[in-house]
Amino acid sequence: MLEFKILGALEVRADGRAISIGGRRQRALLAILLLHANAVVSADRLIDELWGERPPETAANTLQVHLSQLRKLLEEDSRDRRVLLTRQPGYVLCVDPEQVDALRFERLVEQGRADRERGAAAAAESFRAALELWRGPALADFAFDGFAQAEISRLEELRELTLEERVDADLALGRHAELVPELELLVARHPTRERLRGQLMLALYQTGRQADALAVYREGRDALSEELGLEPGPELRRLHQSILRQDESIEAVAPAPRRVTSPLPSFLTPLVGRERQVEEAAALLRREDVRLLTLTGFGGIGKTRLAVEAARTVGPELAGGTVFVPLAAITDPSLVAGSLVQALGLVEPGPREAVLDAFLRGRRTLLLLDNLEQVLAAVPLLARLLAAAPGLKLLVTSRAPLRIAGEREYPVPPLAADAAIDLFVARARSADAGFSLSASNAAAVEELCVRLEGLPLALELAAARTKLLTPEAMLGRLGGRLDLLAAGTRDAPERHRALRATVDWSYELLTEGQQRAFARFGVFVGGCSLEAAEAVCARDGKSVLDDVSAVVDESLVRRESAEEPRFAMLEAVREYALERLDDLGEDEDARGRHQAYFLGLAERAALKGPEQASWFTRLEVEHDNLRVAEAFSRERGDADSSLRFCVALWRFWQIHGHLDEGRRTLELALAASPAADPLLRARALNGAGVLAGEQGDFEAAAAYFEPSLELARQLDDRHRIAAVLTNLGNLALFATDFERARRLYEESLEYCAYLEEPEMELVALENLGLVALDQGDLGRAVTLLEQSAALAGRRGDERARSSSLRALAAALLERGEADRAFDPLAESLALARRLGELNGIAYCLDTFAGLAAADELAERAATLFGAADGVRSSIGALRPPDQQPLYERWLAQTLSLLDVEIYSARYEDGRSLSLDEACAHALRRAGSG
């Protein structure tokens, strides 16, 4: 697609690629045609505009040459090949208004003016989008050409008016404090523009600077008198009087809440046959009286796809944004609040429900909660949020309605006949590339789709069989089963009968051993490896590889990875498998094997060394299975196994940012096992303290560490004593009690020396280095941190080396050795990324921001500070107190080089970066800007 840009120097792009237009006269020709886009411009007028009153005799021929070259350049990159046409008495440039930035600018301005009826936020967004199209002065390369003068003046004036209208909208949203620096600059550039001056006066007054606002009025009155011989207009005078009277009508409004977003999921296949349902669901969401919309229906009917598309349609209209909250892997209702907090990117301390109440109150936000059926006990939380936040809308997918006041249920219907056929054919082609809908099979396909009642999951399961059976043969095998179920299972929903028939049919094609393997697959949540499948499905010590392969071939289990085989079930199929497992009487045995396998996996993963990163990645992949296995331990009263899970996993929970969930699991396990093995309790209490500390709850952390230390001393477990002493030292460091911190670290170090424990020794060395850093003893800090990093390197402990290196980089930066700081910081970031340690990555990004500030790259520093906070907010972590003084110094240095408005803009840019983008931005060498 061609794009034409004149809000700046003339530029043409085709699908994002710049096109060279040639010489100045040819560029001027295109500019003239753009100024009269979609209108005929005569050849005589073009000659006059290009050559003036005395064109050369060859002007007509030269014009033809320029037009021919221009047509070739443009139409080579045009899909319809009809861009520059000959129309008597001249030529016309045919474009869609959206292809020309100036026309798009004017449309957005009109949209912003119309949006005022919807509110200041919508208007501000449209005006801001319009102004962002400008790259410089309009038609900058034709500033002195006669043909451009009038249009340049018109566009520049419209730009100034739009800027003023955007400022009005921002003031209405309570952004007065942010606007002051921008308005001061604008007024300095345009001292006689009264509207801008009035806006600055109002912004100053609303930030509590009445005297400054009155001074701005006096300066404007003098400027008008000296430059134009005029007095201020009536509107500016009225505002002056209102400020003098401290009129209530100009009091500041509360700042508008920031817009939050959580990316909606994308899908590899297009949504088929749901256009009407998307429109209906979107229309319901737009209604003021619909606060809670629940899409209901059997598993596999397409609730999630429909909800996502409806949210995608309506979301941009809500000033507070759209947030997607996946709940499929959550079975504990108490985790729903934490999932909401994490999806919203909140890091405020306090009870999760209170944090949500405070944040959502006053916002127009849409929350899409997907797969709520297994945590329906969390419904009272949703009712509370709706009551506390009048602007909140909830879009929920669930197999059953929530049954709370104000709920609007939307039962998701099966696919219409045509759409069902389209879906079946698309999925059949995926299974068999040679499949096509033909005269010979069309009737069978149509009948099959009717008998499967348009249920998407049933259609997909049946379509997968086309690699073995024709539609005619499939219909013959399926028909009797459907008829039998329709007559015999009256208590099942009609659509459920069709799906059960489809799965029954595939299940009964399996041998007895294959059926057993299929049923046992149901205990896995979120898929499993082949190793795990063999451990749970094995019979009499024999391999089940052939059985697993058969189940996969029947499309009851799908293979998700080619490199390291991993298998998963659709959720509805998994439920069917669990029913069969119960029928076989093997539920307890299968779950016990599942628990034993994943406990062993967790304990194998609880190691240090170069394999840390790969183990953490594996634990993340198996997180859902680990949750279920640990919960099973607690459910059957196996307290020691529950604690063993927690002891093995707390470091993973810390590193990968599962702080809220990990801490809650530890608390439940500890509460359920007061008489468990004392060493296990000591280790679990220590883990709970670390997670509480990561969340900034230092009082709770101490309450865990103290009994952990007491148990360790009773057991005379010197390794455990050293570990807990280090953690108590961290709390002292956070409280700036440096003497206590040093004493605890040194006591820990004594135990390490006695035990010859290099692992604990390097942690203690690092922490002593941090004490020195916080106290300003930079030479000692560098020495200790270098020793710690070197020891970690020799031990192959990537996490400890990453931690020591980023602290070392901070110490070098504080000592004025920014050049030396870059390499250890880059290595620390690389190691943290390998480990998936998000809090470590955030610390690195903060320190990279400090490096940028030291190099006076203030905008880059602001972006990196935003990126660091974005990473922390994604896991609910806070910046540790010992890092706060460094951060504040680096931030002050940044703000000394940058005004607040630009800082805020770059900071928000940083928060919106993906993790990969943020790290790439950080790793640019300082000299690259």
Side-chain angles (χ1 to χ4, degrees):
M1 177 180 174
L2 288 171
E3 294 179 89
F4 301 93
K5 301 184 178 184
I6 61 173
L7 300 179
L10 176 66
E11 185 177 316
V12 182
R13 290 186 169 270
D15 297 323
R17 176 178 56 82
I19 297 175
S20 176
I21 298 302
R24 175 173 171 75
R25 189 156 277 126
Q26 195 161 289
R27 291 170 60 80
L29 172 61
L30 177 58
I32 295 166
L33 291 168
L34 279 170
L35 294 181
H36 303 280
N38 299 316
V40 176
V41 185
S42 70
D44 289 342
R45 180 169 183 180
L46 288 172
I47 291 171
D48 287 344
E49 299 284 17
L50 289 171
W51 283 281
E53 296 178 357
R54 296 182 180 179
E57 293 181 4
T58 59
N61 289 336
T62 303
L63 176 63
Q64 291 293 330
V65 171
H66 286 322
L67 286 163
S68 176
Q69 292 173 339
L70 192 57
R71 182 182 287 114
K72 182 179 179 181
L73 285 168
L74 297 178
E75 296 187 355
E76 276 182 355
D77 292 286
S78 171
R79 294 188 178 94
D80 61 13
R81 308 298 186 191
R82 294 175 58 81
V83 179
L84 182 53
L85 304 180
T86 302
R87 291 285 186 270
Q88 291 300 323
Y91 307 89
V92 59
L93 184 68
C94 299
V95 295
D96 185 306
E98 289 299 297
Q99 292 177 266
V100 184
D101 62 351
L103 299 179
R104 191 157 71 252
F105 166 68
E106 294 188 61
R107 178 188 63 75
L108 286 167
V109 171
E110 291 304 314
Q111 180 179 315
R113 290 168 177 170
D115 283 343
R116 290 193 191 106
E117 296 181 4
R118 293 168 47 210
E125 191 171 334
S126 294
F127 290 138
R128 192 167 281 108
L131 292 165
E132 285 173 357
L133 294 173
W134 286 73
R135 297 167 293 114
L139 293 156
D141 34 359
F142 305 108
F144 302 104
D145 291 79
F147 73 83
Q149 296 300 304
E151 187 65 7
I152 289 173
S153 297
R154 187 186 72 82
L155 287 170
E156 292 289 352
E157 178 60 23
L158 182 56
R159 179 188 190 183
E160 295 297 335
L161 288 171
T162 304
L163 177 61
E164 291 170 346
E165 290 181 85
R166 193 226 81 207
V167 171
D168 275 342
D170 283 339
L171 284 168
L173 291 168
R175 296 172 179 162
H176 34 272
E178 302 171 33
L179 287 169
V180 169
E182 179 186 8
L183 285 168
E184 287 177 334
L185 181 60
L186 290 170
V187 168
R189 290 176 183 168
H190 307 283
T192 60
R193 200 166 182 100
E194 294 191 40
R195 187 174 180 183
L196 284 174
R197 190 169 291 275
Q199 290 169 332
L200 175 57
M201 291 166 59
L202 187 58
L204 288 167
Y205 176 73
Q206 290 179 338
T207 54
R209 297 168 61 184
Q210 182 181 10
D212 291 339
L214 295 172
V216 169
Y217 175 79
R218 291 192 297 273
E219 291 164 3
R221 184 183 57 197
D222 294 344
L224 285 166
S225 175
E226 292 173 7
E227 294 187 28
L228 303 176
L230 297 174
E231 286 294 318
E235 189 170 340
L236 198 62
R237 293 199 301 272
R238 280 195 295 272
L239 176 60
H240 178 239
Q241 291 301 312
S242 295
I243 291 172
L244 286 171
R245 294 194 305 270
Q246 297 185 355
D247 196 322
E248 291 183 2
S249 66
I250 59 170
E251 289 299 320
V253 299
R258 66 177 176 87
R259 182 180 177 87
V260 293
T261 56
S262 180
L264 293 171
S266 57
F267 302 95
L268 296 177
T269 55
L271 186 63
V272 176
R274 292 298 194 191
E275 294 80 6
R276 183 170 64 83
Q277 286 81 26
V278 170
E279 290 178 6
E280 289 174 349
L284 286 170
L285 285 171
R286 289 188 178 102
R287 286 175 47 170
E288 290 297 324
D289 61 329
V290 176
R291 304 274 313 287
L292 167 61
L293 178 63
T294 306
L295 305 189
T296 58
F298 182 70
I301 202 164
K303 301 184 293 294
T304 297
R305 293 292 302 268
L306 176 56
V308 167
E309 293 308 316
R312 207 184 305 280
T313 301
V314 175
E317 301 168 15
L318 295 167
T322 302
V323 176
F324 180 74
V325 187
L327 299 173
I330 302 297
T331 56
D332 183 350
S334 65
L335 295 178
V336 172
S339 298
L340 287 167
V341 167
Q342 186 168 350
L344 288 162
L346 305 180
V347 294
E348 289 81 355
R352 294 304 190 214
E353 291 81 358
V355 170
L356 289 167
D357 284 355
F359 182 78
L360 292 170
R361 189 176 292 113
R363 296 169 186 268
R364 284 183 55 79
T365 300
L366 173 65
L367 299 185
L368 195 174
L369 288 84
D370 189 39
N371 288 296
L372 191 70
E373 56 267 0
Q374 71 271 25
V375 284
L376 286 175
V379 166
L381 167 67
L382 305 185
R384 171 180 168 175
L385 293 178
L386 287 168
L392 175 66
K393 283 182 180 283
L394 298 181
L395 175 58
V396 173
T397 69
S398 175
R399 296 191 186 179
L402 310 189
R403 307 297 186 197
I404 59 176
E407 179 184 25
R408 178 65 179 264
E409 182 184 358
Y410 185 93
V412 178
L415 289 172
D418 290 346
I421 292 170
D422 289 343
L423 179 62
F424 179 88
V425 171
R427 300 300 182 266
R429 284 175 179 158
S430 297
D432 177 7
F435 181 86
S436 64
L437 191 64
S438 64
S440 62
N441 67 16
V445 170
E446 182 177 356
E447 177 65 14
L448 193 61
C449 292
V450 170
R451 302 293 285 276
L452 293 175
E453 298 178 62
L455 186 67
L457 177 57
L459 291 164
E460 293 188 2
L461 288 170
R465 300 288 294 160
T466 54
K467 59 188 174 185
L468 298 175
L469 298 171
T470 66
E472 294 86 352
M474 211 181 302
L475 186 62
R477 288 171 176 256
L478 190 60
R481 171 63 65 185
L482 287 169
D483 292 341
L484 176 64
L485 285 172
T489 54
R490 298 183 184 279
D491 60 336
E494 286 187 6
R495 294 188 296 280
H496 195 165
R497 298 175 200 167
L499 176 64
R500 183 173 293 280
T502 307
V503 185
D504 269 338
W505 164 50
S506 294
Y507 177 77
E508 291 180 4
L509 291 173
L510 302 173
T511 67
E512 182 179 341
Q514 292 163 0
Q515 288 178 347
R516 180 179 178 276
F518 164 74
R520 284 177 170 258
F521 253 110
V523 301
F524 293 105
V525 183
C528 66
S529 65
L530 181 58
E531 178 187 72
E534 289 185 303
V536 172
C537 301
R539 46 194 172 99
D540 303 324
K542 297 178 182 178
S543 171
V544 292
L545 185 59
D546 290 341
D547 292 343
V548 170
S549 297
V551 174
V552 172
D553 287 342
E554 287 300 319
S555 298
L556 291 168
V557 173
R558 64 184 187 275
R559 181 168 175 163
E560 292 188 320
S561 170
E563 296 177 1
E564 293 186 10
R566 187 168 182 82
F567 306 92
M569 282 177 164
L570 293 168
E571 189 60 26
V573 176
R574 177 174 169 267
E575 291 180 5
Y576 179 95
L578 289 172
E579 290 179 14
R580 291 298 188 180
L581 185 64
D582 189 56
D583 291 343
L584 292 169
E586 297 186 13
D587 180 80
E588 187 75 13
D589 179 69
R591 291 183 185 278
R593 291 192 187 196
H594 178 275
Q595 181 239 35
Y597 173 81
F598 283 102
L599 178 55
L601 178 75
E603 291 184 330
R604 293 202 309 275
L607 48 77
K608 300 287 193 298
E611 296 181 6
Q612 276 182 311
S614 59
W615 273 112
F616 284 149
T617 299
R618 187 169 178 185
L619 292 178
E620 190 65 64
V621 170
E622 299 292 4
H623 200 176
D624 292 339
N625 281 310
L626 292 163
R627 282 189 183 111
V628 170
E630 187 281 327
F632 179 71
S633 299
R634 271 187 286 115
E635 287 167 11
R636 69 177 188 177
D638 186 354
D640 280 2
S641 290
S642 177
L643 281 179
R644 284 170 64 192
F645 267 110
C646 292
V647 166
L649 292 174
W650 74 259
R651 180 70 74 185
F652 159 71
W653 289 328
Q654 176 200 12
I655 298 301
H656 274 225
H658 303 294
L659 305 177
D660 198 55
E661 177 181 350
R663 182 177 170 187
R664 175 170 175 76
T665 304
L666 275 157
E667 288 169 348
L668 290 171
L670 286 164
S673 56
D677 179 277
L679 178 57
L680 278 175
R681 282 193 64 81
R683 296 177 69 188
L685 285 163
N686 182 57
V690 171
L691 297 183
E694 289 282 312
Q695 293 180 303
D697 192 349
F698 304 126
E699 185 176 344
Y704 289 124
F705 290 145
E706 295 291 354
S708 178
L709 181 60
E710 183 179 346
L711 281 171
R713 291 193 190 280
Q714 289 172 7
L715 295 166
D716 196 28
D717 185 333
R718 301 186 180 190
H719 175 93
R720 186 65 28 216
I721 293 169
V724 184
L725 285 171
T726 295
N727 289 330
L728 285 167
N730 293 340
L731 296 185
L733 178 64
F734 296 161
T736 66
D737 187 346
F738 298 123
E739 289 308 314
R740 174 174 163 75
R742 181 184 292 105
R743 187 169 63 253
L744 289 165
Y745 290 148
E746 288 174 346
E747 185 180 354
S748 173
L749 199 54
E750 289 172 8
Y751 279 100
C752 295
Y754 178 84
L755 294 167
E756 296 183 354
E757 281 273 11
E759 173 195 331
M760 295 302 301
E761 181 184 357
L762 68 89
V763 172
L765 285 171
E766 179 191 344
N767 289 328
L768 286 169
L770 291 173
V771 172
L773 173 59
D774 280 1
Q775 289 192 297
D777 189 352
L778 300 178
R780 176 171 168 76
V782 169
T783 299
L784 289 167
L785 292 168
E786 285 178 335
Q787 290 175 1
S788 176
L791 183 56
R794 290 195 295 274
R795 290 278 300 166
D797 189 336
E798 293 183 340
R799 180 179 180 272
R801 182 164 173 81
S802 176
S803 181
S804 294
L805 285 173
R806 59 181 170 259
L808 173 61
L812 290 168
L813 175 58
E814 289 296 285
R815 204 161 70 161
E817 298 179 59
D819 289 343
R820 281 187 62 199
F822 186 93
D823 288 341
L825 188 55
E827 183 183 346
S828 174
L829 179 60
L831 291 170
R833 293 187 73 190
R834 259 177 52 79
L835 294 164
E837 187 181 7
L838 295 176
N839 219 347
I841 291 171
Y843 188 169
C844 288
L845 293 174
D846 269 341
T847 311
F848 273 114
L851 283 175
D855 289 327
E856 298 190 354
L857 299 172
E859 291 194 43
R860 182 174 164 198
T863 303
L864 290 168
F865 282 133
D869 284 348
V871 172
R872 285 194 185 90
S873 71
S874 71
I875 59 173
L878 298 175
R879 182 178 286 105
D882 65 307
Q883 295 173 26
Q884 192 68 24
L886 296 173
Y887 162 74
E888 289 176 357
R889 284 199 290 276
W890 298 336
L891 177 62
Q893 191 172 4
T894 302
L895 290 174
S896 72
L897 302 167
L898 203 63
D899 68 58
V900 174
E901 185 201 6
I902 296 175
Y903 175 85
S904 298
R906 296 294 79 77
Y907 176 89
E908 291 299 329
D909 290 344
R911 282 185 69 97
S912 69
L913 292 176
S914 69
L915 193 65
D916 286 344
E917 291 169 337
C919 293
H921 193 69
L923 288 169
R924 285 206 223 134
R925 285 284 185 174
S928 64

